[in-house]
Amino acid sequence: MFQVKKSFIRAAVVAAGLLALGACDTAYPVTVIGQDGTTFRGAATNTFLHGGSFQATNGNATCTGTYDKFADITTVSFPVICNNGLRGIGTAFFQSETAGSGFVTMSDGSKWQFLFGRGALAI
């Protein structure tokens, strides 16, 4: 009987720890403007242990990506993959944990700019 209780308590502690880490995820808005003026809107999420991810759409195409970010790094590079066949490499400059800007150079040669955080809502 003691073994069952001990295993149950251990499992409960692990589950509580995972829930606490999940609560550390932070989501914020993203606005991307293509070279031709096309606007993509979406969101990014920083995760406590893994960096983050983003998704943005203009209603026709959706672009996504993931990135690794560590506490002492303010600039990150990341791949961008769109469902319309375009791919790119982006660079983000973090002004805070949830705000900043950057650019993406796409496979067709176009350059896109983006803003993330509260400022993205104003565009």
Side-chain angles (χ1 to χ4, degrees):
M1 187 70 144
F2 179 74
Q3 259 331 78
V4 173
K5 287 182 181 180
K6 188 175 179 182
S7 296
F8 177 77
I9 291 171
R10 187 176 298 145
V13 169
V14 169
L18 290 174
L19 285 173
L21 287 177
C24 294
D25 290 359
T26 306
Y28 46 90
V30 174
T31 299
V32 183
I33 301 174
Q35 197 167 292
D36 64 357
T38 301
T39 301
F40 288 72
R41 296 193 185 278
T45 302
N46 285 343
T47 57
F48 179 67
L49 296 175
H50 301 292
S53 63
F54 68 91
Q55 179 175 341
T57 185
N58 68 358
N60 296 316
T62 299
C63 300
T64 62
T66 60
Y67 54 91
D68 293 326
K69 184 175 183 300
F70 303 98
D72 60 345
I73 297 175
T74 58
T75 303
V76 296
S77 292
F78 53 90
V80 176
I81 300 171
C82 302
N83 66 352
N84 63 0
L86 283 177
R87 293 178 174 268
I89 300 293
T91 302
F93 306 99
F94 285 81
Q95 297 164 338
S96 74
E97 197 62 28
T98 60
S101 61
F103 61 89
V104 179
T105 301
M106 298 304 288
S107 55
D108 67 355
S110 63
K111 298 207 184 286
W112 300 4
Q113 295 182 343
F114 63 90
L115 191 62
F116 56 94
R118 286 187 175 192
L121 298 174
I123 297 175

